[in-house]
Amino acid sequence: MIQETIVTTQNSSGAAHIAPMGIHVNGDDFIILPFRPSTTLNNLLESKTAVFNYCDDVRVFAGCLTGRRDWPLKSAEIINGKVLCCALAHTEVEIVRIEDDPVRPKLFCKAVHTVNHAPFKGFNRAQYSVLEAAILISRLNRLPMEKIESEIDYLRIGLEKTAGDRELEAWGWLMAIIEKFKAKVKA
Ligand SMILES: Cc1cc2nc3c(=O)[nH]c(=O)nc-3n(C[C@H](O)[C@H](O)[C@H](O)COP(=O)(O)O)c2cc1C
């Protein structure tokens, strides 16, 4: 299964970096697959550790894709790393093996510590819409605009029916990026 998480990493000077990543999960074993170039990848190769943050505030996902990466962090409990303060739970991992690749290396990880912080309160369709729209935006240069627009039209249905303030704010950031991209292509 692939779980959409926020991965926090640190470089050797202790500077933290956060990025949404789809993590392949098999019990306590995980694989991170960053596309090159990636700050997350560079940090993972330096520190050999990461934190997977399980987060229902979709503004963090949309924020990372729209230049808003300054989310409050606190120290991890076992590894030398950082945890997203708004995470419902997190897992601290160590890299155990790397399968290198010029496009998308595979980093195999093992969980060393998992902590619950707050209850999971159920699924929300608008959160799904924001996640899918964020993925589309991460591929703006690779997908035809007609496909992006038709998918956004579909995702907007669930968003308009079920969103709260956080989801509406995140959606607004993502739509602004699409509009900016369209204006740039036209110019
Ligand atoms: C839900 C979601 C899942 C993503 N999963 C991945 C992933 O598995 N690998 C990847 O390279 N980028 C993924 N991305 C895109 C990255 O978060 C984004 O490109 C980011 O800037 C990665 O580069 P960085 O490590 O330099 O920050 C995902 C984005 C979203 C919104």
Side-chain angles (χ1 to χ4, degrees):
M1 185 175 69
I2 296 175
Q3 201 75 32
E4 305 302 343
T5 70
I6 301 292
V7 176
T8 36
T9 52
Q10 281 192 173
N11 67 14
S12 49
S13 318
H17 180 74
I18 79 172
M21 292 270 161
I23 304 301
H24 294 230
V25 182
N26 183 7
D28 274 350
D29 297 318
F30 304 89
I31 313 173
I32 314 175
L33 290 109
F35 285 101
R36 289 179 186 275
S38 157
T39 305
T40 303
L41 174 63
N42 297 345
N43 290 352
L44 285 165
L45 295 176
E46 277 185 28
S47 71
K48 307 284 190 294
T49 58
V51 175
F52 301 152
N53 299 275
Y54 310 116
C55 171
D56 69 347
D57 186 343
V58 288
R59 291 177 304 176
V60 184
F61 289 84
C64 288
L65 272 288
T66 58
R68 299 168 175 88
R69 287 185 190 262
D70 201 12
W71 300 95
L73 301 171
K74 59 187 178 188
S75 290
E77 295 185 6
I78 302 270
I79 62 156
N80 189 16
K82 290 281 185 283
V83 174
L84 199 57
C85 291
C86 64
L88 298 179
H90 81 268
T91 296
E92 301 174 21
V93 302
E94 282 173 358
I95 312 292
V96 290
R97 184 162 69 86
I98 297 167
E99 228 176 79
D100 207 0
D101 184 87
V103 178
R104 202 178 186 192
K106 288 185 180 167
L107 296 111
F108 294 79
C109 315
K110 202 138 200 87
V112 293
H113 188 55
T114 292
V115 189
N116 279 315
H117 303 285
F120 169 63
K121 290 188 173 168
F123 298 104
N124 170 259
R125 291 174 62 197
Q127 290 170 355
Y128 160 80
S129 294
V130 171
L131 280 194
E132 287 298 323
I135 289 172
L136 287 172
I137 274 149
S138 75
R139 297 174 184 167
L140 265 184
N141 282 312
R142 284 181 274 159
L143 294 175
M145 189 43 76
E146 307 79 66
K147 180 171 169 63
I148 290 177
E149 287 184 327
S150 70
E151 295 208 7
I152 291 291
D153 284 346
Y154 173 72
L155 294 169
R156 188 178 280 113
I157 299 169
L159 182 105
E160 286 178 348
K161 284 186 178 158
T162 69
D165 291 343
R166 297 188 310 188
E167 291 74 27
L168 288 173
E169 190 175 14
W171 184 261
W173 295 342
L174 295 170
M175 293 310 108
I177 293 288
I178 296 183
E179 288 313 311
K180 215 162 133 189
F181 182 81
K182 281 183 0 196
K184 206 172 97 189
V185 169
K186 257 194 208 154

